[in-house]
């Protein structure tokens, strides 16, 4: 039903460009799309700035209706989006349908959150005119939207972390217009989702510049977007390398702006001794399933296991080897990602003192699981062994004793998640690990796997650098709206000059 526009959406108009690029379908003919340019970025950002003066002052009810209309319009195009998504990313239909539900659910959840209004942090310190020695003025505080926001999605979530994903939903909920730099791994999906947003803008009578999509193009286009003087913040989901490059550009601007980068992580799991003595086999099988789900292409993929030498640890390794050896190669999101996976896992598996246990062989654009093991002392001595390998690669770090396990925990980089697997009898070691793990990760979980990030008020999907470039921020959950707000105090202002939401 829905047809591709193959152009950029800029302030309600589909804009073509001479330069073009093609998507990389898993099979079938490629589609060609208009490529981005600095001039188009400038056009979109100026339209966003103009829209801000209306959109930033819309009522919460109007913005909530807009978010719900986007969700409805995505559902109307649901089948076409899924068909395009499977073609461009190789992700299965069920996964993309689930991701669509998460994306529309997220939009409706943000609608509810702004209606409830807690995110505004409204505070009133009433005047104390008779206070000695000095009277206190009347002070009211509230969060206000910051202005146009640039958004970069990730390849592995073509819906939930992309064009109308969490960052876009959070910025629109806050009252900030959005310019999306479309991910070149799924321009067709972005095109269809932009059509849905465009329809919602028209249905809700929102200013046209509230949303623009600049499709892929040279990297300089992304750089121009984050450096545009009218952009007030950046939401980024992606790799450490890309995120760091754009973060540095934001910091180097004449007027620096916040860069909310949610980057990858290795999500270590700590298997405690009593658990290994009783549940090594089942835990290994669960890990293998989690590690290979979606070809391991999750920022929350549990890529590292830490355990103490024991019979149970040997059983775990043997069971993980058996389970991972049986998993067939899976299609990856892009050729580039599969090449990076092959290079990353061979670099770690082939490093000094690392033993390769399963060396997955796969064809082009495919990944087969790989497994390697290393002694904790060697892992601690080589910082590069802690790097994320995006794909189904597992590294098992074997400690001599509990002290070494604590040292490994202390040696971790910032993580999105850390997981404890424990049973009765493991509490003492778990209690010693807890202060370290909560210092290292945004989310600590027990007896489960970190993939599957719940969208809810209590979710923290961020963490100390490099998991996130801003460790106080989350890119999932209601708190993510706060990234695009700035608190303002209103002192002794008459009611007529105070935002309606504060009265
Ligand atoms: P990516 O390669 O960093 O791409 C993300 C976006 O940034 C793309 O649009 C990309 O454009 C752009 N980009 C990258 N480097 C740039 C630069 N130097 N200048 C301008 N633009 C640049 O990431 P990805 O492959 O899409 O996603 C996979 C990564 O995301 C994994 O590391 C995964 O762990 C992480 N991830 C994190 C989360 C989270 O919430 N923390 C969620 C999902 C994924 P080009 O493609 O044109 O380079």
């Amino acid at each position: 039903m829905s047809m591709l526009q193959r152009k950029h959406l800029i302030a309600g108009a589909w804009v073509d460009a001479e330069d073009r690029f093609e998507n990389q379908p898993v099979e079938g003919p490629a589609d060609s799309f208009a490529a981005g340019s600095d001039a188009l970025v400038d056009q979109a950002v100026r339209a966003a700035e103009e829209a801000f003066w209306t959109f930033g002052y819309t009522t919460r009810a109007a913005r909530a209706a807009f978010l719900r209309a986007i969700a409805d319009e995505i559902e109307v195009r649901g089948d076409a989006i899924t068909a395009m998504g499977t073609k461009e990313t190789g992700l299965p239909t069920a996964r993309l349908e689930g991701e669509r539900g998460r994306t529309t659910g997220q939009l409706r959840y943000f609608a509810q959150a702004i209606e409830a209004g807690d995110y505004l942090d409204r505070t009133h310190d009433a005047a104390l005119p008779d206070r000695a020695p000095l009277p206190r003025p009347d002070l009211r505080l509230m969060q206000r939207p910051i202005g146009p926001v640039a958004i970069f999605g990730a390849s592995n979530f073509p819906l939930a972390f992309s064009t109308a994903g969490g960052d876009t939903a959070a910025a629109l909920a806050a009252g900030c217009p959005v310019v999306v730099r479309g991910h070149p791994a799924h321009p067709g999906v972005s095109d269809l989702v932009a059509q849905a947003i465009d329809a919602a803008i028209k249905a809700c009578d929102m200013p046209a510049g509230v949303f623009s999509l600049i499709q892929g193009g040279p990297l300089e286009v992304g750089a121009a977007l984050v450096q545009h003087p009218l952009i007030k913040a950046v939401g980024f989901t992606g790799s450490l390398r890309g995120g760091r490059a754009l973060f540095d550009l934001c910091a180097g601007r004449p007027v620096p702006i916040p860069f909310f980068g949610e980057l990858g992580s290795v999500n270590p799991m700590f298997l405690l001794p009593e658990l290994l003595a009783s549940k090594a086999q089942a835990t290994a099988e669960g890990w293998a399933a989690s590690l290979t789900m979606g070809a391991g292409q999750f920022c929350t993929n549990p890529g590292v296991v830490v355990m103490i030498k024991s019979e149970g640890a040997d059983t775990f390794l043997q069971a993980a080897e058996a389970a991972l050896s049986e998993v067939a190669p899976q299609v990856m999101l892009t050729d580039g990602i599969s090449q990076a996976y092959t290079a990353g896992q061979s670099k770690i598996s082939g490093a000094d003192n690392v033993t390769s246990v399963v060396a997955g062989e796969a064809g082009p654009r495919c990944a087969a699981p790989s497994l390697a093991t290393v002694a904790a002392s060697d892992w601690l001595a080589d910082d590069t062994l802690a790097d994320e390998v995006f794909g189904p690669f597992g590294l098992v770090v074997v400690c001599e004793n509990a002290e070494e396990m604590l040292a490994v925990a202390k040696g971790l980089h910032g993580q999105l998640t850390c997981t404890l697997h424990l049973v009765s009898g493991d509490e003492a070691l778990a209690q010693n690990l807890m202060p370290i793990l909560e210092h290292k990760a945004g989310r600590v979980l027990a007896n489960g796997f970190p993939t599957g990030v719940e969208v809810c008020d209590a979710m923290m999907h961020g963490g100390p650098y490099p998991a996130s470039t801003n460790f106080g921020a989350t890119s999932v959950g209601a708190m993510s709206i706060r990234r695009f707000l700035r608190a303002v105090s209103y002192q002794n202002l008459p009611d007529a000059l105070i935002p309606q939401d504060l009265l």
Side-chain angles (χ1 to χ4, degrees):
M1 49 157 295
S2 304
M3 302 287 292
L4 289 177
Q5 293 282 348
R6 300 185 168 81
K7 297 174 186 165
H8 309 283
L9 174 63
I10 302 180
W14 292 95
V15 179
D16 211 345
E18 237 169 68
D19 289 338
R20 301 191 74 80
F21 72 101
E22 288 191 338
N23 61 2
Q24 300 174 24
V26 177
E27 51 190 38
D31 295 294
S32 149
F33 296 84
S37 67
D38 292 9
L40 293 165
V41 164
D42 184 56
Q43 205 179 319
V45 176
R46 285 182 189 285
E49 166 73 7
E50 194 188 321
F52 175 67
W53 299 106
T54 319
F55 187 67
Y57 296 85
T58 46
T59 62
R60 287 180 283 138
R63 289 203 304 285
F66 177 43
L67 293 171
R68 292 190 176 105
I70 297 174
D72 294 346
E73 294 290 347
I74 288 174
E75 278 165 2
V76 166
R77 294 160 180 78
D79 290 345
I81 290 171
T82 300
M84 181 55 69
T86 54
K87 179 177 155 177
E88 288 189 325
T89 65
L91 294 171
T93 298
R95 153 72 200 273
L96 284 165
E97 283 174 348
E99 199 181 318
R100 183 174 78 233
R102 174 177 165 166
T103 307
T104 53
Q106 203 160 248
L107 285 156
R108 294 181 175 122
Y109 163 73
F110 283 132
Q112 247 174 33
I114 59 171
E115 280 169 346
D118 295 347
Y119 78 105
L120 291 170
D121 292 340
R122 287 174 284 200
T123 312
H124 185 191
D125 287 314
L128 299 174
D130 301 329
R131 189 180 69 174
L134 287 174
R136 183 170 81 181
D138 184 86
L139 278 157
R140 294 183 239 196
L141 174 142
M142 192 177 71
Q143 300 284 356
R144 303 297 291 148
I146 55 175
V149 169
I151 307 280
F152 292 70
S155 54
N156 57 336
F157 281 93
L159 295 165
F161 282 96
S162 190
T163 311
D167 283 348
T168 297
L172 294 177
C176 297
V178 165
V179 179
V180 169
R181 196 278 192 181
H183 200 296
H186 52 257
V189 173
S190 296
D191 183 314
L192 296 173
V193 172
Q195 291 182 38
I197 300 175
D198 187 39
I201 290 171
K202 289 176 174 128
C204 298
D205 203 20
M206 287 290 165
V210 72
F211 174 85
S212 291
L213 165 71
I214 303 294
Q215 287 281 19
L219 286 184
E220 294 73 44
V221 173
L225 179 57
V226 304
Q227 289 179 298
H228 197 292
L230 295 173
I231 287 292
K232 293 291 186 284
V234 181
F236 175 94
T237 307
S239 64
L240 174 58
R241 200 171 60 159
R244 183 61 201 239
L246 294 170
F247 171 82
D248 288 344
L249 286 178
C250 286
R253 290 169 43 126
V255 179
I257 54 170
F259 179 86
F260 297 103
E262 299 302 335
L263 313 177
S265 117
V266 295
N267 307 295
M269 303 203 313
F270 290 80
L271 311 187
L272 302 196
E274 295 302 324
L275 174 284
L276 278 177
S278 56
K279 293 186 173 171
Q281 177 87 25
T283 308
E285 286 165 4
W287 180 50
S290 176
L291 188 71
T292 54
M293 185 170 64
Q297 300 169 117
F298 288 102
C299 51
T300 48
N301 204 35
V304 168
V305 161
V306 187
M307 58 189 193
I308 300 170
K309 234 182 207 172
S310 66
E311 230 174 84
D314 293 341
T315 308
F316 175 88
L317 199 55
Q318 284 156 14
E321 178 182 359
L324 289 170
S325 303
E326 280 172 17
V327 178
Q330 291 164 277
V331 177
M332 294 198 91
L333 293 155
T334 65
D335 286 336
I337 286 177
S338 89
Q339 283 157 18
Y341 168 70
T342 305
Q345 65 92 358
S346 340
K347 192 186 90 187
I348 294 185
S349 298
D352 288 346
N353 304 318
V354 174
T355 306
S356 173
V357 178
V358 177
E361 296 285 326
R365 196 166 169 174
C366 280
S370 304
L371 176 66
T373 181
V374 63
S377 53
D378 293 318
W379 184 86
L380 283 163
D382 183 350
D383 203 40
T384 63
L385 299 181
D387 289 349
E388 180 196 33
V389 176
F390 189 61
F393 171 69
L395 181 64
V396 175
V397 179
V398 183
C399 308
E400 289 295 324
N401 49 42
E403 285 67 41
E404 207 169 42
M405 182 175 261
L406 295 175
V408 168
K410 282 190 177 152
L412 290 171
H413 298 156
Q415 302 291 330
L416 291 167
T417 73
C418 283
T419 304
L420 283 168
H421 282 266
L422 73 169
V423 293
S424 171
D426 287 321
E427 292 85 353
L429 179 51
Q431 275 162 1
N432 287 337
L433 278 165
M434 268 313 288
I436 309 172
L437 301 189
E438 68 173 25
H439 189 63
K440 295 286 180 179
R443 178 162 57 109
V444 181
L445 59 149
N447 294 338
F449 298 96
T451 41
V453 182
E454 186 66 30
V455 181
C456 63
D457 291 1
M459 177 52 67
M460 164 49 70
H461 190 62
Y465 185 84
S468 160
T469 54
N470 183 321
F471 58 73
T474 175
S475 64
V476 177
M479 215 164 66
S480 68
I481 301 173
R482 287 167 191 256
R483 295 173 300 165
F484 306 119
L485 297 165
R486 186 173 59 79
V488 177
S489 286
Y490 301 89
Q491 182 170 333
N492 288 342
L493 284 178
D495 282 0
L497 299 181
I498 302 253
Q500 279 297 310
D501 275 331
L502 249 183
L503 297 174

